[in-house]
């Protein structure tokens, strides 16, 4: 069978000695040339989940040379499994297999797998190599790039973790063909985020292309992934450990994390909570006089067009939100730090939202 | 009461943006000037253990300003508690107290507390500040300096951890006055190590001063701590993440870790196991033709003079040693890596010890 396939694009996350490539294109998963250069030694452990394993594990294994020791670990699926207990299973498996400091972990799956495997790699024998092979749109455009790794704690999202960069990110765009619509929408939330915080032209393009994206049109998806990863790589290169500008990538996340934690991890997908959270941030920005009615309506419209929720959970009170938001990692010395929009395409870090303005928004924001 | 007290010495661990001071002297614990400059924000958590808390916790707290939020957590004592479960208790306490990314953890205690608190700091909200306040000789001369943090796993020592540097190391030499003799001997093992691997003059000085050191003579102890920390700081500055020369600090540790893991963590003190392990390394170096009889006898004599064991546990077979040593973090691609002595004062990394030479040593090395 002859196929015409586009050539992969390679972006670069510029972090000095820790720089790495992001390869984006169809068919990367089964092709040995993309993985081999990033393996640290001869011991490789692929960690994936029950949903992804039947679809892509064999294909990935076939791209690994015969002289490697290859182990695999299949974890359960879902945000509720993003726990220290699951990471301990990875460490146990590595030690049982006798893996040393020159081993390589491969994260095959969505954001949950990527975050856990990255954290396992960060702390196994004080740090080993890992490669991200993201198979959901959300992981491809956001969580696999930039080295944020970790697990949830009952008291808050991603509270335990490390900054630990992968050796490479391999984005096989073919994997999106099997992505369920709900997961696709969740990924689009993070794509929209890049337009909102930093690129008004990309936002306008997304508004026009949303039907194509939701219809899995591969050209549109590839362009959305490339633009998202370009912005992410720029921001991470500027501010690896979130001392400043990287916090802008958290638009909608303070609200969203509160929803995820309150509802029980996995009840709302991360991207769904971020979708509603971005609308909350936009509405708050309007209340602060930064966005007009028309701009807020555009935010609402694109979130709706992506198939994301426009309302918060029915059972979440103002106090529920505030209690969890107070624990957000971005807050310093007791002040609530929010990412808001000065304009469409321009986000800002804001430490001075009046408590009554925030409470006012939380009071009237729709529930579902 | 008027006292004549020596002025503290300050050494520096040179690691670019992560550089930090080691302050060494009497009376640092209760004096606010030594701690205040290293606190990241206004939230401080002191983590200590049941043995150290009654002796030094109040004194440390008195040196903290009134406008700080100060929490404390008292953990059980001993190497058997150096587990992920204990680190989780620290994370739980931090989240319960609502601590943010600008908090500071203070490790008040020996090597176990320092390693766990450092690891907790490395992974809390992807990394927060911490200060080492070591109260055992072993922690003062070795584990508090250099940023190796972590916990044990049933399958091996320090298998889960991170490189995470403290903001400062505060060594109050007064704390040694309450150190039990067995703990003092354990600390002397690491002091002797520095002489063996890098400084023959220091080794000769230690041979002469051993009675004074065991008698807690404060001048001798201070000099031993200063010289040990100077060597440790040099080696760490050269090779923070143990790509090369830092491995030399592991003289005796591959044997020692095997003893600790086999006997159950805490049965042998770490320094005791390192003491016996250094003698094993010296005997192996003799078998390889690098040390003579007289030099090996000097190693045996100083280990004995420090009150450390000269024999391995009675119930450890050759296979017991080999099975655990095979999992050592230094090993790469299946080859056993040992730190051995080319001469007294000169250590080397050796990957090519013939299996029969090692087994021969393990066979005849005394058991007790």
């Amino acid at each position: 069978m002859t196929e015409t396939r586009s050539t992969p694009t390679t972006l670069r996350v510029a972090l000095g000695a820790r720089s790495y490539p992001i390869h984006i294109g169809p068919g990367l998963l089964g092709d040995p040339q993309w993985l081999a250069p990033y393996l640290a030694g001869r011991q490789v452990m692929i960690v994936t989940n029950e949903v992804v394993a039947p679809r892509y594990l064999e294909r990935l294994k076939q791209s690994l040379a015969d002289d490697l020791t290859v182990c695999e670990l299949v974890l359960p699926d879902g945000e509720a499994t993003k726990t220290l207990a699951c990471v301990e299973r990875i460490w146990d498996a590595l030690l049982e297999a006798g893996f040393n400091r020159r081993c390589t972990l491969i994260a095959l799956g969505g954001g949950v797998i990527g975050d856990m495997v990255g954290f396992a790699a960060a702390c196994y024998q004080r740090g080993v190599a890992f490669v991200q092979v993201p198979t959901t749109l959300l992981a491809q455009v956001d969580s696999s790039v930039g080295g944020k790794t970790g697990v949830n704690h009952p008291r808050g999202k991603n509270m335990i973790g490390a900054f630990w960069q992968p050796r490479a990110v391999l984005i096989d765009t073919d994997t999106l063909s099997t992505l369920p619509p709900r997961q696709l929408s969740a990924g689009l939330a993070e794509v929209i985020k890049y337009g909102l915080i930093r690129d008004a032209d990309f936002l306008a393009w997304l508004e026009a292309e949303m039907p194509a994206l939701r219809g899995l049109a591969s050209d549109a998806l590839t362009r959305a992934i490339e633009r998202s990863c370009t912005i992410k790589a720029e921001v991470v290169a500027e501010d690896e450990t979130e001392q400043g500008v990287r916090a802008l990538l958290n638009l909608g996340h303070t609200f969203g994390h509160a929803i995820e934690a309150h509802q029980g991890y996995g009840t709302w997908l991360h991207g769904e909570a971020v979708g509603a959270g971005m609308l909350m941030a936009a509405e708050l920005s309007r209340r602060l006089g930064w966005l007009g009615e028309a701009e807020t309506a555009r935010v609402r419209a694109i979130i709706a067009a992506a198939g994301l929720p426009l309302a918060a959970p029915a059972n979440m009170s103002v106090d529920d939100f505030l209690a969890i938001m107070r624990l957000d990692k971005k807050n310093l010395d007791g002040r609530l730090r929010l990412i808001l929009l000065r304009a469409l395409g321009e986000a800002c870090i804001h430490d001075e939202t009046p408590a009554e303005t925030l409470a006012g928004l939380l009071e009237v924001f729709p529930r579902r």
Side-chain angles (χ1 to χ4, degrees), chain A residues 134-195:
Chain A
T135 59
T136 65
L137 181 62
L138 189 135
Q140 291 175 350
V141 299
D142 189 30
S143 61
S144 69
V145 176
K148 278 196 181 179
T149 73
V151 296
N152 300 327
H153 186 279
R155 286 182 187 265
K157 265 288 273 193
N158 298 330
M159 282 292 167
I160 309 304
F163 287 99
W164 191 249
Q165 301 294 342
R167 290 285 190 98
V169 181
L170 306 184
I171 299 177
D172 184 339
T173 49
D174 286 346
T175 58
L176 297 181
S177 66
T178 57
L179 194 67
R182 196 180 155 197
Q183 294 278 355
L184 181 69
S185 291
L188 289 170
E190 301 283 7
V191 175
I192 293 166
K193 176 189 77 178
Y194 294 110

Side-chain angles (χ1 to χ4, degrees), chain A residues 26 50 95 98 187 198 230 261 323 356:
Chain A
E50 293 163 352
L95 284 163
R198 202 164 160 120
T230 300
E356 60 277 15

Side-chain angles (χ1 to χ4, degrees), chain A residues 43 45 49 56 83 88 190 264-265 271-272 286 292 298 354 360:
Chain A
Q43 298 174 321
M45 180 166 293
N49 72 31
Y56 300 115
T83 60
E88 285 190 75
E190 301 283 7
Y265 296 118
E272 292 171 337
R286 185 178 63 78
R298 273 181 70 188

Side-chain angles (χ1 to χ4, degrees), chain A residues 213-277:
Chain A
L213 292 165
R214 294 195 67 189
L216 292 170
S218 69
D219 283 0
L221 278 173
T222 300
R223 184 161 164 197
I225 294 167
E226 287 174 2
R227 185 67 198 133
S228 298
C229 285
T230 300
I231 295 176
K232 179 86 186 242
E234 282 169 10
V235 172
V236 168
E238 228 175 292
D239 176 22
E240 183 180 9
T241 58
E242 198 168 309
Q243 305 303 305
V245 65
R246 185 166 180 170
L248 300 182
L249 298 174
N250 270 320
L251 178 71
H253 283 58
T254 305
F255 297 106
H257 286 170
I259 293 173
E260 290 182 81
H262 181 270
Q263 298 294 292
Y265 296 118
T267 309
W268 282 49
L269 294 179
H270 173 64
E272 292 171 337
V274 167

Side-chain angles (χ1 to χ4, degrees), chain A residues 33-53:
Chain A
Q33 70 169 304
W34 299 106
L35 201 45
Y38 309 108
L39 303 179
R42 288 159 55 192
Q43 298 174 321
V44 176
M45 180 166 293
I46 306 168
V47 184
T48 184
N49 72 31
E50 293 163 352
V51 174
V52 175

Side-chain angles (χ1 to χ4, degrees), chain A residues 43-339:
Chain A
Q43 298 174 321
V44 176
M45 180 166 293
I46 306 168
V47 184
T48 184
N49 72 31
E50 293 163 352
V51 174
V52 175
R55 287 181 187 140
Y56 300 115
L57 180 56
E58 281 310 310
R59 202 184 301 176
L60 179 64
K61 280 165 72 177
Q62 280 160 21
S63 74
L64 292 166
D66 289 341
D67 63 343
L68 300 169
T69 303
V70 179
C71 296
E72 57 195 61
L73 178 64
V74 180
L75 296 172
D77 178 45
E79 187 78 33
T81 71
K82 198 171 124 179
T83 60
L84 200 58
C86 255
V87 171
E88 285 190 75
R89 286 186 57 187
I90 303 175
W91 290 328
D92 292 345
L94 289 165
L95 284 163
E96 195 171 338
F99 273 32
N100 63 42
R101 283 202 290 213
R102 281 233 317 249
C103 68
T104 307
L105 274 63
I106 300 178
L108 174 68
V112 170
I113 285 289
D115 284 8
M116 288 201 293
V117 174
F119 185 50
C123 300
Y124 184 64
Q125 302 201 6
R126 299 200 188 94
V128 299
F130 87 112
V131 176
Q132 291 273 18
V133 185
T135 59
T136 65
L137 181 62
L138 189 135
Q140 291 175 350
V141 299
D142 189 30
S143 61
S144 69
V145 176
K148 278 196 181 179
T149 73
V151 296
N152 300 327
H153 186 279
R155 286 182 187 265
K157 265 288 273 193
N158 298 330
M159 282 292 167
I160 309 304
F163 287 99
W164 191 249
Q165 301 294 342
R167 290 285 190 98
V169 181
L170 306 184
I171 299 177
D172 184 339
T173 49
D174 286 346
T175 58
L176 297 181
S177 66
T178 57
L179 194 67
R182 196 180 155 197
Q183 294 278 355
L184 181 69
S185 291
L188 289 170
E190 301 283 7
V191 175
I192 293 166
K193 176 189 77 178
Y194 294 110
L196 288 174
I197 64 168
R198 202 164 160 120
D199 189 340
D201 290 345
F202 183 47
L203 184 69
W205 180 84
L206 287 170
E207 289 172 325
E209 296 293 325
M210 195 51 76
L213 292 165
R214 294 195 67 189
L216 292 170
S218 69
D219 283 0
L221 278 173
T222 300
R223 184 161 164 197
I225 294 167
E226 287 174 2
R227 185 67 198 133
S228 298
C229 285
T230 300
I231 295 176
K232 179 86 186 242
E234 282 169 10
V235 172
V236 168
E238 228 175 292
D239 176 22
E240 183 180 9
T241 58
E242 198 168 309
Q243 305 303 305
V245 65
R246 185 166 180 170
L248 300 182
L249 298 174
N250 270 320
L251 178 71
H253 283 58
T254 305
F255 297 106
H257 286 170
I259 293 173
E260 290 182 81
H262 181 270
Q263 298 294 292
Y265 296 118
T267 309
W268 282 49
L269 294 179
H270 173 64
E272 292 171 337
V274 167
M278 290 193 298
L279 182 54
M280 297 174 90
E283 292 281 6
L284 192 54
S285 304
R286 185 178 63 78
R287 282 166 181 252
L288 292 167
W290 299 338
L291 294 190
E293 282 290 357
E295 291 163 310
T296 315
R298 273 181 70 188
V299 176
R300 190 180 300 106
I302 194 167
I303 289 169
L308 292 162
L310 299 172
N315 64 348
M316 263 188 97
S317 69
V318 174
D319 287 342
D320 289 336
F321 268 103
L322 293 176
I324 305 176
M325 290 168 73
R326 255 183 228 115
L327 271 176
D328 189 82
K329 286 196 295 300
K330 288 183 292 303
N331 301 337
L332 295 179
D333 297 335
R335 291 165 77 170
L336 188 68
R337 170 164 282 192
L338 290 171
I339 310 306

